[in-house]
């Protein structure tokens, strides 16, 4: 209320304002305020959909059976509830858009399921939200690491939908060939 020496009215008013701010700040600190910022985000669970497009899927119209499954209304309605990250695979794995599945050509040199699973896990948009893996294949794996060993340590469930029948197919691939440089007509050549 009083100052020694006496101050001008403006200086006293400024000093009063500063003192009031300091006391208010101390009261605020004693009240232990908490700043809360809220952000709402809807996170949908994700599944990794792995689709076989290898040469074995051309046998007995297996790929057409797979497309029929993917076009089923019940299957599509279940997929609408989750974020689907789909991969196609033959000897290599590649991202696959489900709406262009009818335009995909079956082909490749082999069937490497483990590469598709590896790439799918590595490049998953939300690995923490991954709730499961669905494999659509005829089960003819013939290249790369054993997929059973690969998925043993997974923290998510793995489901496989087999496409095709129970017929057993010869699974043969020629990886390389070597022969002598010169060959003669009518003579046998060792390869």
């Amino acid at each position: 209320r009083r100052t020694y020496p006496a101050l001008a009215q403006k200086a006293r008013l400024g000093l009063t304002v500063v003192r009031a701010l300091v006391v208010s700040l101390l009261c605020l600190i004693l009240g232990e305020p908490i700043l809360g910022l809220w952000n709402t985000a809807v996170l949908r669970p994700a599944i990794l959909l792995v689709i076989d497009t290898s040469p074995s899927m051309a046998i007995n119209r297996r790929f057409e059976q797979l497309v029929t499954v993917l076009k089923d209304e019940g299957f599509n309605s279940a997929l609408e509830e989750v974020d689907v990250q789909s991969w196609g695979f033959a000897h290599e794995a590649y991202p696959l858009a489900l709406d262009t599945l009818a335009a995909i050509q079956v082909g490749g040199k082999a069937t490497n399921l483990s590469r598709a699973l590896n790439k799918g896990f590595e490049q998953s948009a939300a690995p923490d939200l991954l709730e499961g893996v669905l494999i659509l294949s005829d089960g003819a794996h013939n290249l790369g690491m054993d997929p059973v060993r690969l998925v043993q340590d997974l923290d998510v469930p793995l489901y496989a939908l087999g496409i095709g029948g129970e017929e057993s197919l010869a699974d043969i691939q020629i990886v390389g060939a070597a022969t002598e440089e010169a060959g003669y007509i009518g003579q046998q050549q060792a390869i």
Side-chain angles (χ1 to χ4, degrees):
R1 293 170 70 188
R2 285 185 237 145
T3 61
Y4 297 100
L7 294 175
Q9 184 69 19
K10 286 185 178 180
R12 284 181 65 194
L13 181 63
L15 188 57
T16 303
V17 168
V18 168
R19 287 177 179 162
L21 285 174
V22 167
V23 170
S24 299
L25 183 62
L26 287 173
C27 289
L28 185 66
I29 290 173
L30 289 174
E32 296 181 8
I34 297 173
L35 176 63
L37 300 175
W38 297 94
N39 186 12
T40 304
V42 177
L43 301 174
R44 294 173 26 169
I47 65 164
L48 178 61
L49 182 62
V50 183
I51 299 172
D52 190 351
T53 60
S54 66
S56 63
M57 292 298 286
I59 298 170
N60 294 338
R61 303 165 52 109
R62 290 179 181 174
F63 194 73
E64 291 174 20
Q65 293 173 16
L66 187 140
V67 171
T68 303
V69 168
L70 291 174
K71 287 184 178 180
D72 182 66
E73 288 182 29
F75 189 80
N76 280 319
S77 65
L79 290 182
E80 288 174 0
E81 298 175 13
V82 295
D83 179 26
V84 179
Q85 300 167 22
S86 55
W87 286 81
F89 71 96
H91 64 285
E92 291 290 332
Y94 54 92
L96 184 65
L98 291 179
D99 55 351
T100 62
L101 198 57
I104 292 175
Q105 297 294 320
V106 174
K109 298 176 184 174
T111 306
N112 191 348
L113 175 58
S114 56
R115 179 162 304 196
L117 291 171
N118 269 334
K119 280 204 172 185
F121 293 133
E122 288 173 3
Q123 298 182 12
S124 177
D128 296 340
L129 298 175
L130 197 61
E131 293 292 325
V133 178
L134 176 60
I135 300 172
L136 302 175
S137 175
D138 61 0
H141 171 79
N142 59 13
L143 183 65
M145 182 178 163
D146 183 13
V148 174
R149 287 194 331 191
L150 176 71
V151 298
Q152 282 178 341
D153 298 328
L154 280 182
D155 293 335
V156 296
L158 181 114
Y159 303 98
L161 178 60
I163 305 293
E166 295 182 17
E167 67 274 357
S168 176
L169 303 172
D171 190 10
I172 300 172
Q173 177 184 14
I174 297 176
V175 177
T179 183
E180 297 177 18
E181 291 186 25
Y184 300 100
I185 297 176
Q187 298 292 322
Q188 288 189 358
Q189 184 80 11
I191 298 177

